[in-house]
């Protein structure tokens, strides 16, 4: 069982930066792939970024490639999403997710555990 709590969301102007954190509980965090997804009003939840349990492999959505960076600290049981050059279209609720995968997962159904989400709003 893994419980996830996101933090770090907020209101930022276009071009600004935010760093999201996701704190996990559970002894098996280090063996889980972690992902960030987002959901804007009226839209489907979509993949943003993911990282392998070891941190040796990452994947990004095309829309955030080069602007966002996912990382993890297994000793602190925390995964991060550094978001730079934010755009109004990045506005959404951002969710952290965990999956017992030995690889990077990019699909919603691959993830078993989800946080409650944190709101990110980017003003133009």
């Amino acid at each position: 069982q893994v419980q996830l709590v996101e933090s770090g969301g907020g209101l930022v102007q276009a071009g600004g930066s935010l760093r999201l954190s996701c704190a996990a509980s559970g002894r098996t965090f280090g063996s889980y792939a972690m992902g960030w997804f987002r959901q804007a009003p009226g839209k489907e939840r979509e993949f943003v970024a993911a990282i392998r349990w070891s941190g040796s492999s990452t994947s990004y959505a095309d829309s955030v490639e080069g602007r966002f960076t996912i990382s993890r600290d297994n000793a602190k049981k925390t995964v991060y999403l550094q978001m730079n050059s934010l755009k109004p279209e990045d506005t959404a609720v951002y969710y952290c997710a965990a999956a017992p995968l030995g690889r990077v997962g990019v699909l919603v159904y691959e993830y078993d555990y989800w946080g409650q989400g944190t709101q990110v709003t980017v003003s133009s």
Side-chain angles (χ1 to χ4, degrees), residues 9-11 18 20 37-46 48 68 83 86-95 117-122:
L11 174 64
L18 282 175
L20 304 184
F37 292 77
R38 67 187 182 187
Q39 189 167 17
K43 294 188 176 182
E44 297 288 322
R45 190 169 297 188
E46 64 175 6
V48 174
F68 290 10
M83 305 186 296
L86 283 161
K87 304 176 181 179
E89 51 263 44
D90 294 318
T91 295
V93 176
Y94 282 70
Y95 297 90
T118 185
Q119 177 71 47
V120 171
T121 303
V122 184

Side-chain angles (χ1 to χ4, degrees), residues 27-58:
R27 291 176 292 178
T28 57
F29 172 80
S31 64
Y32 277 66
M34 299 297 296
W36 286 97
F37 292 77
R38 67 187 182 187
Q39 189 167 17
K43 294 188 176 182
E44 297 288 322
R45 190 169 297 188
E46 64 175 6
F47 169 73
V48 174
I51 187 167
R52 195 167 179 248
W53 66 271
S54 63
S56 61
S57 179
T58 58

Side-chain angles (χ1 to χ4, degrees), residues 69-110:
T69 302
I70 188 170
S71 61
R72 66 189 294 162
D73 185 334
N74 287 344
K76 295 182 178 179
K77 295 184 178 180
T78 301
V79 63
Y80 306 97
L81 185 68
Q82 178 67 44
M83 305 186 296
N84 299 328
S85 302
L86 283 161
K87 304 176 181 179
E89 51 263 44
D90 294 318
T91 295
V93 176
Y94 282 70
Y95 297 90
C96 173
L101 298 173
R103 55 176 175 77
V104 172
V106 302
L107 300 174
V108 171
Y109 74 81
E110 294 182 288

